[in-house]
Amino acid sequence: MADVSSCFLSRPIDVKKYGLLFGGVQKNIGPAGNVIVVVRKDLLKDDPMPMTPTMLTYKTYAEKNSLYNTPNCWGIYMCGKVFKWLLGIGGLEEMNRRNEKKAALLYSYLDQSKLFKGTVRKEDRSLMNVTFVTGNKEIDARFVQEASENGLVNLKGHRIVGGMRASLYNAVPYEGVQKLVDFMEKFEKENSSAIVSEKN
């Protein structure tokens, strides 16, 4: 089982390897408010635990062709638009190519940067969310603020983890990632003294 909310439709996935896939559509597919669930049929045979509400039982929706109640029609319509767009550009293979290209651009910069450092091992890196730090919370905060002033918003990391996080979801163009890297290079040059002091 997997929560694929962040990576759903960002690349091909072999659904046969899973018993259940759960994905909020708000990252790559459509407006918030819809969820797509892919469930293997044999997992729907048994009744759920007695305390499970009818509205939270996948079997309920499977038996009613996902129409047990009135669904979010506008959200479904918008998701359909995205599905058609994806098919029109070449499907998930093409989307994966685009996402790998975007991620490679940012990770390549992080790997050679003297100020910014990625926080995830290379073998575990995400194509969708790139996390990084400077090693100094004050510099992190200044970077987030100056980035926002330059039109690069929502780069502040998770409230517990800190640092920065750049989301590269399907709708983010390559040019947007290039703008981020250009700004990071500029910021690094302007804060080169901080790099020297950190080493000392």
Side-chain angles (χ1 to χ4, degrees), residues 124-160:
D124 296 323
R125 287 175 169 174
S126 167
L127 292 181
M128 297 289 97
N129 290 294
V130 181
T131 55
F132 55 98
V133 296
T134 65
N136 182 306
K137 291 182 179 180
E138 291 182 6
I139 298 175
D140 286 357
R142 186 161 72 246
F143 171 79
V144 171
Q145 179 181 340
E146 291 184 16
S148 181
E149 292 169 358
N150 283 271
L152 299 161
V153 297
N154 296 323
L155 288 171
K156 187 176 180 180
H158 192 276
R159 62 184 179 279
I160 296 175

Side-chain angles (χ1 to χ4, degrees), residues 2-198:
D3 179 348
V4 293
S5 296
S6 288
C7 62
F8 217 16
L9 299 192
S10 67
R11 57 183 172 80
I13 184 171
D14 184 359
V15 296
K16 293 179 181 177
K17 292 182 177 180
Y18 298 88
L20 184 144
L21 293 172
F22 177 98
V25 304
Q26 69 275 7
K27 308 290 187 179
N28 283 323
I29 307 171
N34 279 24
V35 169
I36 296 176
V37 179
V38 181
V39 189
R40 204 174 60 218
K41 286 183 178 179
D42 64 290
L43 296 178
L44 297 170
K45 289 189 299 185
D46 297 327
D47 290 327
M49 292 184 291
M51 76 282 286
T52 308
T54 302
M55 295 296 292
L56 297 180
T57 302
Y58 295 138
K59 187 176 182 180
T60 299
Y61 295 93
E63 291 175 347
K64 301 294 182 180
N65 294 317
S66 297
L67 293 171
Y68 176 76
N69 64 333
T70 304
N72 180 344
C73 298
W74 182 77
I76 294 170
Y77 171 77
M78 294 305 295
C79 290
K81 289 284 192 182
V82 173
F83 299 152
K84 289 178 181 178
W85 174 75
L86 282 168
L87 290 171
I89 66 168
L92 297 185
E93 289 77 10
E94 172 59 19
M95 198 71 252
N96 182 58
R97 185 194 68 77
R98 294 183 185 191
N99 287 328
E100 286 185 346
K101 183 180 178 184
K102 291 186 299 187
L105 174 63
L106 183 50
Y107 282 124
S108 177
Y109 169 71
L110 287 173
D111 287 342
Q112 59 80 43
S113 173
K114 291 181 173 60
L115 178 61
F116 298 101
K117 299 297 174 201
T119 60
V120 179
R121 297 181 305 179
K122 288 186 178 182
E123 60 269 28
D124 296 323
R125 287 175 169 174
S126 167
L127 292 181
M128 297 289 97
N129 290 294
V130 181
T131 55
F132 55 98
V133 296
T134 65
N136 182 306
K137 291 182 179 180
E138 291 182 6
I139 298 175
D140 286 357
R142 186 161 72 246
F143 171 79
V144 171
Q145 179 181 340
E146 291 184 16
S148 181
E149 292 169 358
N150 283 271
L152 299 161
V153 297
N154 296 323
L155 288 171
K156 187 176 180 180
H158 192 276
R159 62 184 179 279
I160 296 175
V161 179
M164 285 74 69
R165 179 179 71 175
S167 295
L168 311 181
Y169 298 125
N170 288 358
V172 176
Y174 182 84
E175 293 76 16
V177 183
Q178 184 65 66
K179 183 178 179 181
L180 172 60
V181 170
D182 290 344
F183 177 77
M184 291 173 75
E185 288 177 337
K186 177 176 177 289
F187 185 89
E188 182 167 345
K189 288 176 184 176
E190 293 173 349
N191 291 271
S192 57
S193 60
I195 301 171
V196 175
S197 62
E198 283 291 319

